[in-house]
Amino acid sequence: MSISSSTSTWKAGDTISDQFPAGLRVLVVDDDPTCLMILEKMLIACLYKVTKCNRAETALSKLRENKNGYDIVLSDVHMPDMDGFKLLEHIGLEMDLPVIMMSADDGKQVVMKGVTHGACDYLIKPVRIEALKNIWQHVVRKRKNEWKEFEQSGSVEEGDRQPKQSDDADYSSSANEGNWKGSKRRKDEEEETDERDDTSTLKKPRVVWSVELHQQFVAAVNQLGIDKAVPKKILELMNVPGLTRENVASHLQKYRLYLRRLSGVSQHQSNLSTIISAQDPTFGSLSSLSGLDLQTLAATGQLPAQSLARLQAAGLGRATAKSGIPITLVDQRNIFSFENPKLRFGEGQQQHMTNKQQVNLLHGIPTTMEPKQLVSLRHAAQSVGNMNMQVPPHGAQSSQNNPLLMQMGQQQQQSRGQMLVDSTINHAPRLSSSMGQPILSNGMATNVSSRNGIPENIRAPGYSQTPSMLNFPMNHASELPGNCFPLGSTPGVSNLTSKGAFQEDVNSEIKGSGGFMPSYDVFNDLNQHKPQSWELQNVGIAFDTSQNSNSLQGNLDLTQSALGQQGFSSGQMNGHNRSAAVASKAMFSTDDVKELGSAQNVNQHLNNLLVDNSIRVKSERVCDTSPANIFPDHFGQDDLMSALLKQQESVASSENEFDFDGYSMNNIPV
Amino acid sequence: MERNPIRRQLAIMRQSLFDQGHVDEQFVQLEELQDDANPNFVEEVVTLYYRDSARIILNIEQALERKPFDFRKLDAYMHQFKGSSSSIGAKKVKAESTLFRECCKSGNGEGCMRSFQQLKKEYATLRKKLGAYFQ
């Protein structure tokens, strides 16, 4: 099996050699020589490469000296020198390999202990060879997960985002199916859909949504009714050979965002357009990036598919915004096409990949918000804002996202850092590193991470983010990289109820989308600061939340303020953010956002950029301040939130959700 | 020709092992693992088992001599023993081990002693039968 330790190289569904699972390198640890002998023989019979140890210490040292030398570990529970669970923990921490526990003890307690300590599986002795035949699934599953996370965190370069893609696809299509279940799903997806090939490989030819194709799509959607339009049916109606459900799903996502944007954008268009036009080049890139980020985020399962779509749309919107417009078709097109590539954040930068660099600017910006960058940020924000706009209308969607978000958050803790980071595409690395890790700490982290990646993009969609934000807080405050995206990602934030904090706000916030813009900037900052990234995300979310005026439960303030401002302050954002001059203020007016520290830099820049910003992006500092503040309740990561919140606080003033809209509008001339 | 009677006898012996409940499904698993590369796999495993489990038996005996009984320790030993025994498919021995553990859990010293005696008996019987079988 060519499963290398680096996930990036292992493309899910791609590099599994034909012989797999033959050659799987198994390390078996058991103090009982009889069992050990039998197991070894059985494993050899399964065509695995077996190494046996009768002591836990020996096993650990073997693992340590050759970290990539093993694919999976089988360990007995009761051992004289070290408890099996302890070994399990060590392995999980140091090598992160899948570990299967074995024991003659089949008591519920023990099995539960195995589960809680992170064992992939628990076998009851006597172990039968049939049970061993399937252990490879754990290896694959883990790799898939890792790969996904990896990508999200900005390992865009790395690699295939395939898994992500599938995830994205899942998201978009099944929306809430739970793609987040992460790798598993991804794997399924990949396995199930052969078509995925084109999406899964990085450089796969993307489906280009030509005018005609898009029109067919729109016709199909209209025929079905926007609410009932599901990728599968659309695909059937369109009847285009070679088009996969995933393609349609992602396209649909973008389309929905686009629609949302349309509804909310009208006002700020003028403002934004001016800004945007100035930046076009960067802007375009930004959008593309966002899309990618979104996707990656989504892929990672953290971002709810929808949010991703939204972000992407926003991202795309941004690009179009440059042109001042109507993104409608153009955006859509971009969005859609963008989406595909986006999935692969790292890989696909496809269309806008070139922009990527630019985007990087944006993403990475947080710290240096140079004017130029700011501009791009703005754009990003704008697009985000646009997205927001779109989002609100699609409350339904958001609801979907929410669940996704929620799930994501829960599941993906790790991806958290990654996800967010990814969104920024370039920043992603930054974020991920910074955020991912620190943030992830909490369960939410996962959500957050996704969000973080997107935050940049998402900013606009404040609303969607809020949901995500909510998720974050819920799971881990830590994760919320602050990218608006995650939180707001689900326009339907309302759904987020789960975590409570965001959810409520999110829904309402989404409207604000306008507020997002600042978030973008904020995110940038965040990206820079690792933990901050989380914050940014929160901030982003805050924007969304602004809509609601603070229904956010605590953390979600963001959502509330998000609307207006990008109120990152997730929980705290009490909606003040919303009013933030959406357009002009790139800086989120996150009220509560506690000063996220670095975010400030960003904010400042943003402010500069958006002269008109009505959004008072307050301390956008999203970046550094620990988002914890933002989602204080949920996440435990106070730092993150606070950071985010702080940022948001700066913004808070505008209550109107509309601000966001306005804001976004400006950015993205639809 | 002369193999047939032996083979037949072997088959009969084997069948009786199952019928009498000395061994179970797991034993079959071991048999299936045996192949040309390891023609005596089952025998090797059983030999290893008896060697290793003898050590545990000794430990238990010693523990049973210390009063009061350290049930936790006894249970731990027996758990180990049970694992081994079940791995080779020693059905009766395994059943007796379970009983012993229950006695430990309920702090039944007397029950432990009795169970252990029974266990040793089964253990010895199995050894004899398997020994004959492998010859």
Side-chain angles (χ1 to χ4, degrees), chain A residues 251-301:
Chain A
H251 193 73
L252 178 65
Q253 228 180 20
K254 293 185 192 144
Y255 185 65
R256 286 210 179 111
L257 282 170
Y258 163 73
L259 290 180
R260 280 205 200 119
R261 202 157 17 104
L262 284 181
S263 57
V265 168
S266 56
Q267 305 188 20
H268 299 265
Q269 255 184 352
S270 52
N271 299 340
L272 294 178
S273 47
T274 47
I275 296 176
I276 298 177
S277 45
Q279 330 273 343
D280 291 342
T282 46
F283 192 82
S285 45
L286 286 179
S287 37
S288 50
L289 287 178
S290 7
L292 285 173
D293 291 337
L294 290 178
Q295 299 232 346
T296 34
L297 286 177
T300 46

Side-chain angles (χ1 to χ4, degrees), chain B residues 28-123:
Chain B
V28 179
Q29 290 260 315
L30 296 188
E31 287 180 322
E32 283 172 1
L33 286 173
Q34 188 157 290
D35 53 19
D36 293 339
N38 295 76
N40 301 316
F41 179 71
V42 186
E43 188 179 353
E44 282 166 15
V45 174
V46 172
T47 307
L48 184 59
Y49 163 73
Y50 272 99
R51 200 168 29 177
D52 186 61
S53 55
R55 185 178 49 85
I56 306 177
I57 297 267
L58 196 61
N59 286 340
I60 297 177
E61 268 176 352
Q62 283 171 351
L64 283 174
E65 279 163 19
R66 290 190 211 105
K67 306 264 196 307
F69 288 156
D70 181 353
F71 287 114
R72 203 184 47 80
K73 208 166 186 179
L74 284 169
D75 186 60
Y77 284 136
M78 191 48 76
H79 172 80
Q80 215 179 336
F81 183 78
K82 183 183 170 189
S84 280
S85 307
S86 63
S87 292
I88 68 153
K91 197 172 176 183
K92 283 192 178 170
V93 173
K94 178 181 170 183
E96 207 55 53
S97 312
T98 307
L99 277 177
F100 183 92
R101 287 192 80 195
E102 309 237 320
C103 292
C104 284
K105 290 205 176 62
S106 55
N108 183 354
E110 267 303 306
C112 280
M113 298 280 285
R114 267 192 309 225
S115 176
F116 187 60
Q117 294 309 317
Q118 185 64 24
L119 185 140
K120 277 200 289 189
K121 234 174 33 184
E122 296 290 351
Y123 178 76

Side-chain angles (χ1 to χ4, degrees), chain A residues 515-519 539 542-543 561-562 564-568 588 590 648 660:
Chain A
F516 267 124
M517 303 258 304
S519 51
V539 175
F543 293 131
S561 42
Q565 351 237 301
Q566 317 244 320
F568 289 113
F588 331 104
T590 50
Q648 299 183 353
F660 281 110

